[in-house]
């Protein structure tokens, strides 16, 4: 026997949907939004490289799926089977990372080319490229200077010995953080 949905049933469904929508708006307005530092896997000010994981997904809040069915569409778009399965089985879906971050992909990894700095800006967790980034190196105290018939060994700015070209080996030339200059 087939049941026919009457106008009464449709009206009840519309009223139920309106109540759910109103309660969702009330709950969302009365609950304080999650602070971006709560989901950070690193301390603010940390240096971050491209592809480095900066989000601790276990700290990202979940909300009822019935209040935010649009969030499950994000799970489909990002093809995250773990979160998608969790949302379907529990009825709770993670707040999309894209709503709380910038310079971070949906899986929680930095997208900034080169090094960046983890900061909170405008209520979002952000990986920003620093305005100035100085790459430096430690100057070795021992290095070799190539000469026509061998090599001078320099320590602390002074020539300590000369090694003829036919005697150059690991035992006659210091190894480690050495540089060879011409």
């Amino acid at each position: 026997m087939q049941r026919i949905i009457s106008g009464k049933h449709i009206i009840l469904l519309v009223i139920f949907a309106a109540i759910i929508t109103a309660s969702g708006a009330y709950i969302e307005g009365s609950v304080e939004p999650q602070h971006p530092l709560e989901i950070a896997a690193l301390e603010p000010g940390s240096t971050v490289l491209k592809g480095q994981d900066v989000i601790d997904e276990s700290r990202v809040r979940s909300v009822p799926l019935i209040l935010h069915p649009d969030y499950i569409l994000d799970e489909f778009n990002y093809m995250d089977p773990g979160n998608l399965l969790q949302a379907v089985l529990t009825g709770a879906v993670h707040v999309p990372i894209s709503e709380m971050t910038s310079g971070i992909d949906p899986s929680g990894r930095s997208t900034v080319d080169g090094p960046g700095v983890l900061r909170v800006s405008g209520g979002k967790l952000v990986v920003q490229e620093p305005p100035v980034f100085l790459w430096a190196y430690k100057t070795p105290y021992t290095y070799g200077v190539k000469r026509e018939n061998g090599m001078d060994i320099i320590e602390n700015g002074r020539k300590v010995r000369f090694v003829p070209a036919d005697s150059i080996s690991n035992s006659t030339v210091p190894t480690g953080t050495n540089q060879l200059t011409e």
Side-chain angles (χ1 to χ4, degrees), residues 36-148:
L37 287 180
E38 292 176 15
I39 63 170
L42 304 169
E43 292 294 319
S46 298
T47 301
V48 178
L49 300 175
K50 183 175 185 173
Q52 186 174 355
D53 199 6
V54 295
I55 300 292
D56 183 354
E57 288 194 41
S58 66
R59 296 181 186 168
V60 176
R61 283 187 188 164
S62 293
V63 295
L65 181 59
I66 198 162
L67 299 179
H68 287 284
D70 54 321
Y71 288 177
I72 201 159
L73 295 176
D74 288 332
E75 301 298 340
F76 276 115
N77 290 338
Y78 303 137
M79 294 306 294
D80 188 348
N83 286 343
L84 188 60
L85 184 62
Q86 177 188 353
V88 171
L89 293 177
T90 65
V93 64
H94 284 294
V95 174
I97 290 174
S98 60
E99 288 195 4
M100 298 180 285
T101 63
S102 178
I104 300 171
D105 70 10
S107 63
R109 292 183 176 83
S110 171
T111 59
V112 174
D113 289 331
V117 178
L118 190 64
R119 294 202 167 118
V120 175
S121 176
K124 290 188 172 195
L125 190 64
V126 179
V127 176
Q128 295 176 330
E129 291 182 27
V132 176
F133 196 85
L134 175 65
W135 286 96
Y137 63 92
K138 184 177 177 182
T139 305
Y141 64 89
T142 303
Y143 59 93
V145 178
K146 183 178 175 185
R147 300 288 182 221
E148 189 173 310

Side-chain angles (χ1 to χ4, degrees), residues 29-40:
S30 64
V31 175
E32 195 172 310
Q34 188 169 12
H35 194 273
L37 287 180
E38 292 176 15
I39 63 170

